[in-house]
Amino acid sequence: MNRQELIKQIREKQSFLCVGLDTDLDKIPAAIKKRVKKEYEEEELTFGEILEFNTAIIDATAPYCVAYKPNLAFYEAYGMEGIAAFEGTVEYLKENYPHHFIIADAKRGDIGNTSKMYAKTFFESYDVDALTVAPYMGEDSVTPFLGYKDKWVILLALTSNKGSHDFQLTEDKDGMRLFEKVLKVSQQWGNDENMMYVVGATQGQMFQDIRKYAPNHFLLVPGVGAQGGSLQEVCQYGMTKDCGLLVNSSRGIIYASAGDDFAEVAAQKAKELQQEMAAELAKL
């Protein structure tokens, strides 16, 4: 999906919501587990539970979001069945919701030839739209991901976790913080047509500093909802004329209910966020 197609979806849906598919077997509702045991062989239970849960969440929330972000850790943890469920989720999205943007949250990044194979995995084998990438090994670890038409690299810039202060906010002798250097230097590798940045919603006014270096790039913003980030604050300091934001919510939507009504409640939570987003977009 290219930039203009993404912007079109945001405008048509009046939403820049990304639903995070952080699917944890321990949190899947009992109703799913019971149904899957009747439909799948014993050796396919993990695959079935994850896929059944994901497809139910997708069907419920698709009208209110423009993107989905499966976190690979929640699939790789379950071995081959987990990976098969990730693949099945991507296939389901492509077949049923082809206009939704798919982000593989895998935070890859290694020496050039390894990155080349990671890029091949996600952009050829899985054919997702975007991949999160750690930039701290430098240019040759990132550029292999940038050679694919209409695919996106989403670089970690300023994250929302407590430990982000350990390195990302440290300053060099000229007073430039590390996240600012990542933003500045990476502008030489890609552009706002193929590169985004991860910026945590809890960073608040720091979005102003992000926009000094990346005024037009899309930002993937986790941390709204369960982590306490403010959507209004993110929009105040980070929104551009083209929106420029994909705001992710995972736990706050997919685990809003542990009962049989989990999909309906997820839909309601997604709709609530979409309505808030529509109000922010109306200010542009």
Side-chain angles (χ1 to χ4, degrees):
M1 181 180 291
N2 62 40
R3 181 184 174 94
Q4 289 307 312
E5 289 170 336
L6 178 57
I7 292 170
K8 182 174 183 247
Q9 289 302 308
I10 290 170
R11 288 174 175 165
E12 288 181 354
K13 286 195 162 183
Q14 287 295 288
S15 172
F16 44 96
L17 176 60
C18 174
V19 175
L21 298 173
D22 300 359
T23 307
D24 185 341
L25 285 180
D26 293 334
K27 297 179 180 179
I28 288 178
I32 289 283
K33 295 177 180 290
K34 184 177 180 180
R35 184 162 70 246
V36 166
K37 284 183 179 179
K38 292 181 179 180
E39 296 180 5
Y40 290 83
E41 297 293 335
E42 191 69 29
E43 63 271 17
E44 296 177 334
L45 285 179
T46 296
F47 165 81
E49 288 175 11
I50 295 173
L51 192 59
E52 288 276 338
F53 178 76
N54 283 359
T55 55
I57 290 291
I58 290 167
D59 289 342
T61 60
Y64 311 111
C65 69
V66 296
Y68 287 96
K69 182 177 71 65
N71 183 327
L72 266 293
F74 288 85
Y75 300 87
E76 293 171 336
Y78 301 112
M80 294 304 296
E81 282 193 61
I83 293 297
F86 166 74
E87 293 177 339
T89 299
V90 171
E91 289 173 5
Y92 186 80
L93 282 166
K94 287 184 169 296
E95 290 175 5
N96 296 279
Y97 303 99
H99 299 300
H100 281 68
F101 193 73
I102 305 174
I103 302 167
D105 188 2
K107 300 179 180 68
R108 297 298 194 251
D110 210 318
I111 59 173
N113 61 342
T114 305
S115 285
K116 182 179 178 181
M117 298 310 290
Y118 280 140
K120 182 180 179 67
T121 298
F122 288 96
F123 292 150
E124 294 184 34
S125 297
Y126 297 144
D127 193 26
V128 296
D129 295 297
L131 175 69
T132 55
V133 173
Y136 295 104
M137 290 184 70
E139 179 181 9
D140 61 320
S141 73
V142 174
T143 51
F145 297 100
L146 291 166
Y148 289 82
K149 180 177 173 57
D150 295 338
K151 301 295 186 183
W152 297 78
V153 171
I154 309 180
L155 290 184
L156 301 179
L158 186 59
T159 56
S160 57
N161 61 304
K162 180 181 177 181
S164 64
H165 291 240
D166 292 342
F167 299 113
Q168 295 168 27
L169 298 182
T170 56
E171 299 181 3
D172 64 15
K173 60 182 178 60
D174 299 317
M176 178 173 279
R177 291 166 291 185
L178 181 57
F179 80 87
E180 292 173 314
K181 190 166 187 177
V182 168
L183 292 168
K184 181 179 179 180
V185 173
S186 63
Q187 301 292 310
Q188 303 167 33
W189 309 339
N191 53 53
D192 60 13
E193 299 278 346
N194 63 3
M195 194 162 60
M196 303 184 188
Y197 295 99
V198 175
V199 182
T202 57
Q203 298 296 348
Q205 293 188 15
M206 297 285 276
F207 278 82
Q208 290 179 308
D209 298 328
I210 296 287
R211 285 303 185 197
K212 290 176 185 176
Y213 294 94
N216 298 313
H217 287 70
F218 266 85
L219 306 179
L220 174 62
V221 184
V224 166
Q227 295 182 49
S230 165
L231 177 65
Q232 288 70 33
E233 197 170 52
V234 167
C235 293
Q236 179 182 352
Y237 298 113
M239 186 173 275
T240 68
K241 64 180 178 61
D242 292 326
C243 180
L245 300 169
L246 288 175
V247 171
N248 182 79
S249 179
S250 300
R251 288 172 289 168
I253 292 177
I254 68 174
Y255 300 132
S257 171
D260 293 354
D261 64 346
F262 74 96
E264 290 83 357
V265 176
Q268 182 58 40
K269 294 297 182 182
K271 183 178 181 180
E272 290 171 3
L273 270 174
Q274 181 271 322
Q275 290 174 336
E276 291 182 45
M277 291 175 175
E280 295 297 331
L281 288 167
K283 299 175 184 178
L284 293 179

